[in-house]
Amino acid sequence: YKVTLIDDEEKALDFLKSIIEGIPGFEVNCAATSPFEGLNFAIGAKSDLVITDILMPEVNGFWIAQRLKANNIPVIITSAQ
């Protein structure tokens, strides 16, 4: 499965990436600090799953989830708070 990660915190991306890459059959195809970059990549690459932070400076995880829903890409929303 191809997983796209979106979080404005680089440390959070590194942590999630280490977890996902430890699961057989899963690979991180993009780890983006820009929600727009991650969203566009996920749609263009037809990611199987997106994991995104809920609170980011530009947009929130719900905004991203709405756009991905229109493209039938499942989303997991996370928070470090």
Side-chain angles (χ1 to χ4, degrees):
Y1 296 96
K2 299 178 294 185
V3 181
T4 296
L5 306 175
I6 304 171
D7 198 306
D8 60 315
E9 299 283 335
E10 194 73 43
K11 286 176 69 174
L13 287 175
D14 292 341
F15 177 71
L16 288 170
K17 188 174 181 179
S18 69
I19 291 172
I20 298 301
E21 291 183 340
I23 303 170
F26 285 78
E27 67 174 286
V28 174
N29 63 349
C30 178
T33 54
S34 162
F36 302 109
E37 177 186 324
L39 176 64
N40 290 333
F41 184 91
I43 293 169
K46 298 189 176 166
S47 294
D48 298 304
L49 173 67
V50 171
I51 301 174
T52 183
D53 186 18
I54 192 168
L55 298 174
M56 293 177 282
E58 298 168 312
V59 297
N60 64 42
F62 294 117
W63 184 89
I64 291 170
Q66 288 175 331
R67 272 108 194 119
L68 292 170
K69 182 179 179 185
N71 289 276
N72 297 314
I73 299 173
V75 180
I76 296 173
I77 299 175
T78 64
S79 178
Q81 302 243 348

